[in-house]
Amino acid sequence: AKLKIHLLSRIKNPKIGPCDDQEQNYLPSEYSAVTFRPAGTIYQHATLNVNYTTYDVRRAQDCINVNNQHRDVMLWSNDDTPPAERTHPFWYAQVLAIFHVNAKTRQDSEYQRLPILWIKWLCTPSDYIGGPPQNRLHMLGCTPDSNSSGYTFINPDDVLRSAHLIPVFSEGIDL
């Protein structure tokens, strides 16, 4: 159901941001209208290339690979909090799988090729504040496995670039 809700949100609104599909309340009859071609087929990929612009305005590319340690990514936060009050401007995630599907709703005439990333969100510990004012780096940890919203689907177009995250073993944090 989560995948079909994500796909329905992207088909209805192609410019949807990360996690905006989770705020949609679709009825089962609406998201069950999403069909795949061939029926029930999801294509899995091992890598995803992300193009980005470097600080000196050159083009570069990151390769996200789910089969090794190069699978952490960063996205712009679509937080509604004013920028001055945000603790961090980015969201981080660990890519668990890379897919694409050919999908449409019953109302559409053409199938669309939709790439998908299945991710696990990385969160900031609530009792830790980092950044320049505190003279220490930000810290991330895995969302608890009991948190169902910790695993979700996102559009690869929302990924800014890969992130090199270093585990803080002394704090008991392991990515």
Side-chain angles (χ1 to χ4, degrees), residues 3 7-8 15 42 44 72 78 92 100 108 115 122 124 130 132 136 139 143 152 160 163 167:
L3 176 60
L7 293 171
L8 182 60
K15 297 191 185 283
I42 299 174
Q44 190 168 3
D72 299 322
N78 71 346
Y92 297 89
H100 90 264
D108 297 328
L122 302 174
T124 309
R136 60 183 180 177
M139 186 183 300
T143 48
T152 191
L160 291 174

Side-chain angles (χ1 to χ4, degrees), residues 124-136:
T124 309
S126 57
D127 59 343
Y128 185 90
I129 299 173
Q134 288 74 28
N135 291 327
R136 60 183 180 177

Side-chain angles (χ1 to χ4, degrees), residues 14 21 57 78 86 92 145 167 173:
D21 60 332
V57 195
N78 71 346
R86 278 189 205 143
Y92 297 89
D145 287 337
I173 295 175

Side-chain angles (χ1 to χ4, degrees), residues 138-159:
H138 292 280
M139 186 183 300
L140 298 170
C142 291
T143 48
D145 287 337
S146 60
N147 184 351
S148 65
S149 63
Y151 295 89
T152 191
F153 298 98
I154 63 168
N155 185 347
D157 292 343
D158 293 332
V159 173

